[in-house]
Amino acid sequence: MKKIPGTLYHFGIASSKNNSLGINIWYRSELIFERTGILQEEIINILQKFFESKNLTIPRNRLSWVVKEELNELSPTSDITFIEGTVSEILGEIQKKPSENVKKIVLMGLSNAGKTCIYERVFEGKKPWELMQSTATKGIDYKKYEVGSVTKPMIWDLGGQQQYLDEYHGPLRKSIFQKASVLLYIIDASDSDRFENARVEFEWSVNQILSFNQSPIVNVFFHKIDLIHDKDALIPYLKNILSQNISYKINFYATSVFDESLFTAWSGIIRDISPKSIFINSILKTLKDQEGVKDALLIEKTTGLACGSTLDGSDEEIVIGMVSLLIVTCDKVTKNMKLQNFSEFRLKTSSNYLLLTDVTPDLMLVIILGSSAFTDNILKDIEEVGKEIAIQIRDLWND
Ligand SMILES: Nc1nc2c(ncn2[C@@H]2O[C@H](COP(=O)(O)OP(=O)(O)OP(=O)(O)O)[C@@H](O)[C@H]2O)c(=O)[nH]1
Ligand SMILES: [Mg+2]
């Protein structure tokens, strides 16, 4: 991207597949002109016409100098790998499979915020110590996951180094935000020197996603919360500065790779993007109304995420974390005792009783019972209702 000397305009040139070029012009930070499919020799005329329409006369030799500079930087290898090798390939993928339940999640944040670690922990089952050697993401990485039959998040992991941020604000802006369902903005809670910088980028990202989608889901993770001593003071402070200029709903989560918080946060996101979650929640609610039942969850077995839950607040964090870890561990560690082979198992703690029932090859129903349910009769009734509920949920998937 180059500034046109003596004006507040910038312009950028991008190459596309058939060797033609594209040109974009920004006024301050707003994209106001886009044209694709043009030849190199047409660029100066197009720019000159554009400025004439704005009553600005820019000498032709000055224009040809900046155009030459910009074209020099458009070295075929680097630009084609970054723009073509990532974004156009991803767009092709989305267009190929419009009917599938794929949800695009844009993962943004300043460099070193922890973005890449966040999905590797949850979706690739990496342990905290395996994440400590993470290297900076070059450009955009995209990852497609499946949360069983529930939903297919496609995560666009946008490397946060400054040179890439410039590209996102410029030529890649549209490709990044169009068709995005979720913005997930990561803030390193221990990096107070860059809070202001993060706030500015966050506001820009919210405005961008809103310009392409009327009802996106906007989430912020205050990440690396394990490094913070005074969480009770920091979290309200951060919430306040991030929402000061935004009237749209924002979901906030405090997260760390070292505990269960990421599983809880991602469970919330998966529920928000899963088309069946309203039905799942109402089915679980009927289960909760049963005598002796404290709460109920529907857990996806490979990730351990809760795609339905009647829990709220801090209880949710403990239970989802515990059950997720249990399930993921059983599945990964005890290879001979594959979780798929269980139809039911039970866990008893001093105050609770957990009943885990198989629902589908990828879903498990978890019923949490209070101590009052420990009598045989109540327990039997709950088991019966649990089985019926499992059938209802299975039917939801067969529809
Ligand atoms: N203490 C702590 N460190 C973390 C946590 N999550 C990630 N990190 C560390 O933060 C560093 C950066 O993590 P990345 O996931 O690579 O950061 P990123 O946001 O993807 O960075 P870019 O790709 O450059 O944009 C790594 O050294 C991680 O070990 C966390 O929850 N707590
Ligand atoms: Mg990264």
Side-chain angles (χ1 to χ4, degrees), residues 18-228:
N18 49 7
N19 279 339
S20 69
L21 297 169
I23 181 166
N24 293 321
I25 303 175
W26 293 267
Y27 181 67
R28 294 176 191 268
S29 59
E30 198 191 339
L31 182 66
I32 53 166
F33 179 87
E34 272 180 288
R35 173 92 56 90
T36 51
I38 54 178
L39 300 171
Q40 190 168 325
E41 50 273 28
E42 295 173 316
I43 294 175
I44 295 174
N45 281 343
I46 292 172
L47 284 176
Q48 206 159 33
K49 274 213 179 100
F50 170 82
F51 287 115
E52 277 168 13
S53 75
K54 301 281 172 202
N55 292 329
L56 276 168
T57 315
I58 317 266
R60 197 173 171 87
N61 62 351
R62 203 186 292 170
L63 277 182
S64 67
W65 181 77
V66 275
V67 167
K68 205 169 132 206
E69 289 269 298
E70 175 76 355
L71 284 169
N72 276 344
E73 283 174 25
L74 192 78
S75 67
T77 41
S78 68
D79 236 306
I80 282 173
T81 29
F82 186 55
I83 297 178
E84 294 221 317
T86 58
V87 174
S88 57
E89 184 190 319
I90 307 169
L91 286 177
E93 285 272 334
I94 301 176
Q95 259 116 38
K96 252 194 290 174
K97 297 174 184 163
S99 60
E100 281 190 46
N101 187 17
V102 176
K103 296 283 181 174
K104 177 175 168 185
I105 299 179
V106 178
L107 180 55
M108 296 188 85
L110 302 181
S111 57
N112 202 50
K115 298 178 288 296
T116 305
C117 292
I118 281 172
Y119 63 80
E120 289 186 346
R121 173 96 175 96
V122 174
F123 294 101
E124 295 175 11
K126 290 200 180 164
K127 302 284 175 285
W129 58 90
E130 295 173 298
L131 295 166
M132 289 303 112
Q133 303 302 323
S134 179
T135 51
T137 306
K138 294 190 181 66
I140 303 175
D141 243 357
Y142 89 104
K143 296 282 173 90
K144 241 175 19 190
Y145 297 102
E146 289 193 14
V147 183
S149 50
V150 182
T151 183
K152 293 180 181 161
M154 176 160 67
I155 299 175
W156 287 43
D157 175 7
L158 274 65
Q161 292 183 26
Q162 191 57 46
Q163 78 245 45
Y164 305 129
L165 295 189
D166 292 342
E167 298 263 6
Y168 310 150
H169 282 253
L172 295 180
R173 186 187 65 103
K174 188 170 164 196
S175 315
I176 291 169
F177 291 101
Q178 71 183 353
K179 298 199 176 162
S181 308
V182 178
L183 172 68
L184 177 46
Y185 197 87
I186 312 304
I187 293 184
D188 178 345
S190 68
D191 188 7
S192 54
D193 289 347
R194 292 200 292 170
F195 284 166
E196 176 55 18
N197 196 351
R199 179 191 66 80
V200 171
E201 281 297 316
F202 171 66
E203 284 179 10
W204 178 81
S205 317
V206 174
N207 288 328
Q208 293 313 313
I209 198 166
L210 280 169
S211 72
F212 289 98
N213 177 350
Q214 286 183 334
S215 50
I217 297 156
V218 176
N219 301 291
V220 174
F221 285 10
F222 302 132
H223 192 56
K224 307 193 190 178
I225 205 73
D226 55 282
L227 298 174
I228 305 301

